[in-house]
Amino acid sequence: MIAIHSRRELEAMKDACRISAQALQLAGELIRPGITTGEIDREIRRFIESTGAKPNFLGYGGFPASACISVNEEVIHGIPGTRVIREGDIVSVDVGAYYNGYNGDNAATFAAGAISAEKQGLLDATREALFEGIRAAQPGNRVGDIGAAVQAYVEARGYSVVRQFVGHGVGTNLHEDPNVPNFGTPGRGPRLLPGMTIAIEPMINMGTYDVRVLDDKWTVVTADGRPSAHFEHTIAITSDGPVILTQP
Ligand code: MG
């Protein structure tokens, strides 16, 4: 079942989303060569808890940290730890907060120091693909319109869309109906209605779209070891169009 939120409920959800966005912004400020992924995670947790919110990834399905931090060929669900970020890495951070009964969820890929033009191209295309997807999230459109927009944008630039993981509804639960794939057919899937809140999150690979999960049971990596990027916003469908809720 897809939840439809009232105007008041959307208003209440804004706080969780704002805190989520501030946590992501903090991660971006911290990322530099020499810092460990564990240190970034600790600062994120400290910040979220300082607002009175809870890191909603912590303990979710047994996940052991407050943020997923995925480096280079890691696509999503990287577990923060002793890994040291190096010059030229691209670092994807996915983080959310639970506050006042609602969840926020957002992600971005950051550059550590100077990165290759190839990696910069991937970052730029993935960020822009997210906005292509958001622009397609108009009331009356269908979920397939979002995926089709993301897919067309990135494939035209020679990148590939991860198939095995998708975006999702988000609200009182971190993951709700509907699934929001980053690929698809225009005009297919559930209709988008005012009051729906969804997380659009393209995971875009430089090479093949195939991925696999490491022995830690969490970290998703590209099958060919080439880099991957990930950008995500929580948005609300409104009668005026899509509204990005995860704004700092
Ligand atoms: Mg998400």
Side-chain angles (χ1 to χ4, degrees):
M1 209 198 79
I2 303 174
I4 302 288
H5 300 96
S6 67
R7 228 167 250 279
R8 180 192 289 184
E9 288 168 333
L10 290 183
E11 222 30 66
M13 192 165 155
K14 279 184 182 168
D15 287 327
C17 289
R18 177 179 42 78
I19 295 163
S20 302
Q22 289 168 335
L24 185 61
Q25 188 176 49
L26 171 66
E29 288 162 7
L30 290 168
I31 286 170
R32 59 172 190 278
I35 194 168
T36 67
T37 54
E39 287 171 305
I40 299 165
D41 180 67
R42 267 195 300 283
E43 290 303 317
I44 286 173
R45 180 174 181 173
R46 187 174 302 155
F47 167 74
I48 292 175
E49 291 180 342
S50 77
T51 68
K54 286 198 178 109
N56 52 13
F57 289 17
L58 185 61
Y60 190 91
F63 191 75
S66 298
C68 299
I69 304 182
S70 310
V71 184
N72 296 332
E73 79 285 359
E74 296 174 353
V75 180
I76 50 169
H77 300 170
I79 301 173
T82 56
R83 180 170 184 162
V84 178
I85 300 298
R86 293 163 171 271
E87 177 91 18
D89 284 344
I90 56 172
V91 185
S92 299
V93 178
D94 193 350
V95 62
Y98 177 80
Y99 186 77
N100 201 17
Y102 288 95
N103 290 279
D105 189 5
N106 61 177
T109 302
F110 301 99
I115 61 172
S116 67
E118 220 184 2
K119 283 178 169 174
Q120 189 63 55
L122 175 68
L123 256 63
D124 293 344
T126 307
R127 187 191 305 103
E128 196 47 47
L130 168 59
F131 287 101
E132 290 287 320
I134 292 171
R135 276 192 283 276
Q138 301 293 336
N141 278 4
R142 291 182 181 271
V143 167
D145 293 307
I146 297 171
V150 170
Q151 183 176 15
Y153 186 85
V154 300
E155 288 184 352
R157 285 154 184 80
Y159 304 114
S160 68
V161 175
V162 171
R163 303 293 200 273
Q164 291 180 46
F165 296 89
V166 298
H168 51 93
V170 53
T172 53
N173 298 296
L174 178 56
H175 294 107
E176 301 182 344
D177 289 340
N179 280 341
V180 183
N182 300 296
F183 54 93
T185 309
R188 302 290 278 272
R191 195 174 291 283
L192 299 170
L193 299 173
M196 287 183 184
T197 48
I198 59 175
I200 302 177
E201 50 174 323
M203 292 152 253
I204 305 302
N205 295 349
M206 200 178 281
T208 176
Y209 62 69
D210 283 331
V211 298
R212 63 188 179 89
V213 181
L214 296 185
D215 288 341
D216 66 15
K217 303 269 197 290
W218 280 105
T219 313
V220 176
V221 298
T222 56
D224 60 8
R226 299 187 72 195
S228 184
H230 181 208
F231 284 82
E232 175 182 31
H233 273 305
T234 296
I235 69 156
I237 313 296
T238 78
S239 50
D240 298 329
V243 173
I244 298 173
L245 298 178
T246 37
Q247 306 261 30

